[in-house]
């Protein structure tokens, strides 16, 4: 009697441990994902899409050297920059992530460019992006797809009207 009860308790404890270990926080080495979102494709036959992943590095300096995704043929790391009044996208890999520093991707800045989409990015679905770090190795990130103009949950009103150029 007692022995079988102990077995049941042990089994329950093991199950609880497995559940606790399978927490959703994506972590590769010391690099942690703090935010991730993608933008839905504006048209069904869109060839490219953008995803934004923000990272926190709790360890030594590392570098984001590449990315790939089952959602597209290739993934490029870009930076949007205004050159002579025109928004341009510049290849930005490798991207330094300083020791105990952060890397923020956002519209108008760094982003992951999904080139050759296998299908349109659909709002309220989730895509996978695999980030490749020089030291931390590979990190699979679940990226929720927001609206066509998704901006994560940031409230970015600060710079409006200030020092136009
Ligand atoms: Cu781009």
């Amino acid at each position: 009697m007692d022995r079988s009860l102990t077995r049941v308790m042990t089994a329950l404890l093991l199950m609880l441990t497995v559940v606790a270990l399978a927490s959703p926080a994506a972590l590769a080495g010391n690099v942690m994902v703090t935010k991730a979102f993608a933008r839905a494709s504006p048209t069904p036959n869109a060839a490219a899409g953008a995803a934004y992943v923000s990272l926190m590095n709790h360890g030594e300096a590392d570098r984001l050297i590449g990315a790939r995704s089952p959602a597209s043929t290739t993934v490029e790391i870009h930076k949007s920059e205004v050159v002579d009044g025109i928004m341009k996208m510049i290849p930005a890999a490798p991207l330094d992530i300083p020791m105990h520093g952060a890397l923020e991707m956002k519209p108008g800045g760094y982003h992951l460019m999904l080139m050759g989409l296998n299908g349109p990015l659909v709002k309220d679905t989730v895509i996978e992006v695999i980030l490749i770090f020089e030291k931390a190795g590979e990190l699979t990130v679940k990226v929720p797809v927001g609206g066509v103009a998704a901006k994560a949950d940031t409230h970015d009103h600060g710079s409006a009207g200030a020092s136009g150029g």
Side-chain angles (χ1 to χ4, degrees), residues 30-35 52-64 94-106 110 131 133:
N30 293 309
V31 180
M32 195 180 85
V33 173
T34 53
K35 209 189 315 179
Y52 309 85
V53 178
S54 291
L55 306 166
M56 190 82 115
N57 182 7
H58 295 287
E60 283 178 42
D62 205 340
R63 298 205 297 175
L64 179 61
L95 264 185
D96 287 317
I97 311 162
M99 181 173 171
H100 299 298
L103 168 69
E104 192 191 9
M105 294 190 189
K106 60 183 176 186
Y110 293 115
L131 302 176
F133 298 94

Side-chain angles (χ1 to χ4, degrees), residues 78 80 89 111-113:
H78 284 177
S80 293
M89 299 199 293
H111 58 274
L112 299 165
M113 202 88 213

